[in-house]
Amino acid sequence: QRQSIITWALEYRAVVTNITNKLYRYISQTIDELNHQQEDHEDEEIIQKLRIMYQILENFYSAIEELHFPCPNGFSSMFVKLSYKFLPRGIFLQYIDQGFLPVCEEFIVKMVNDLGNTNNVEDINFRYQLINKLSNPEKTLELMSAHPEYSDYLFQKQLNSLHITNTLSDERLNNGYVNL
């Protein structure tokens, strides 16, 4: 009897996972169609439909998290893209910090490049916060050096590294590490 219960539970999970994947494919296709329509012409009605689809995606995410089901393939990518589009920037960044929105280096680089060079203080701050989400320090410096508004930060970072290097050299001289 125990074996039949285990078999039934596995079959149930497979059926629910299959239905979840089908539902996500339907949601994904609808979002893709709306995005395609939006590329053709900017229409407030299409944007409103996309916003509704984002809310459906949020509810879908809550449901699969509550049921401890894995996210369907492609879900995270679409969810992050729509979150970026519809969430206020502060909340979007909080969601990234809390691990609610998983973002990869490629996505952050694309977002930073999409923001372009701007004098808008909000865009500059948002781009800075995005760049700081990168785990690769070399990539962070590479992106910052592409934007002149971060030159002060980069200059200060270089000065700090020189000060540390000089301090270490002075300590080595004083402690007899270097013979003159």
Side-chain angles (χ1 to χ4, degrees):
Q1 186 173 29
R2 176 178 162 85
Q3 187 58 36
S4 64
I5 291 172
I6 291 172
T7 303
W8 181 84
L10 291 172
E11 288 174 4
Y12 173 77
R13 183 170 175 92
V15 167
V16 173
T17 301
N18 188 30
I19 290 170
T20 301
N21 288 333
K22 284 182 181 179
L23 177 59
Y24 173 69
R25 276 194 301 274
Y26 175 74
I27 293 170
S28 176
Q29 288 171 350
T30 304
I31 291 171
D32 287 342
E33 289 171 12
L34 288 169
N35 279 329
H36 183 68
Q37 290 175 13
Q38 186 183 17
E39 288 173 2
D40 292 341
H41 58 284
E42 195 73 23
D43 184 5
E44 187 60 37
E45 183 179 337
I46 294 171
I47 293 172
Q48 188 58 31
K49 287 179 182 179
L50 277 168
R51 189 180 310 277
I52 290 168
M53 293 306 296
Y54 173 71
Q55 291 170 345
I56 290 170
L57 217 53
E58 276 185 314
N59 292 333
F60 180 79
Y61 178 76
S62 296
I64 61 176
E65 278 292 305
E66 190 172 312
L67 295 171
H68 301 285
F69 283 176
C71 291
N73 288 337
F75 175 83
S76 294
S77 176
M78 180 161 304
F79 192 48
V80 169
K81 287 176 187 174
L82 286 177
S83 295
Y84 175 65
K85 187 171 189 166
F86 292 113
L87 288 177
R89 287 178 172 178
I91 292 173
F92 179 76
L93 291 169
Q94 285 177 6
Y95 281 9
I96 292 172
D97 290 340
Q98 295 169 357
F100 185 69
L101 291 175
V103 293
C104 63
E105 182 178 302
E106 180 183 321
F107 185 75
I108 290 177
V109 169
K110 182 182 180 337
M111 288 190 310
V112 166
N113 290 334
D114 286 350
L115 286 170
N117 288 328
T118 177
N119 293 329
N120 182 327
V121 174
E122 288 180 18
D123 288 345
I124 292 170
N125 289 336
F126 183 63
R127 183 174 41 232
Y128 177 77
Q129 290 175 331
L130 285 174
I131 290 172
N132 281 318
K133 303 289 181 220
L134 293 170
S135 58
N136 180 346
E138 289 81 25
K139 192 66 174 178
T140 301
L141 291 174
E142 178 187 325
L143 279 173
M144 285 188 148
S145 63
H147 299 282
E149 61 271 14
Y150 303 124
S151 61
D152 288 343
Y153 171 81
L154 294 171
F155 180 69
Q156 189 63 41
K157 183 172 179 55
Q158 183 64 28
L159 283 178
N160 288 341
S161 71
L162 290 174
H163 175 73
I164 290 170
T165 304
N166 289 339
T167 302
L168 288 174
S169 296
D170 291 345
E171 285 178 11
R172 287 184 187 143
L173 282 172
N174 293 335
N175 293 325
Y177 289 113
V178 178
N179 293 327
L180 296 176

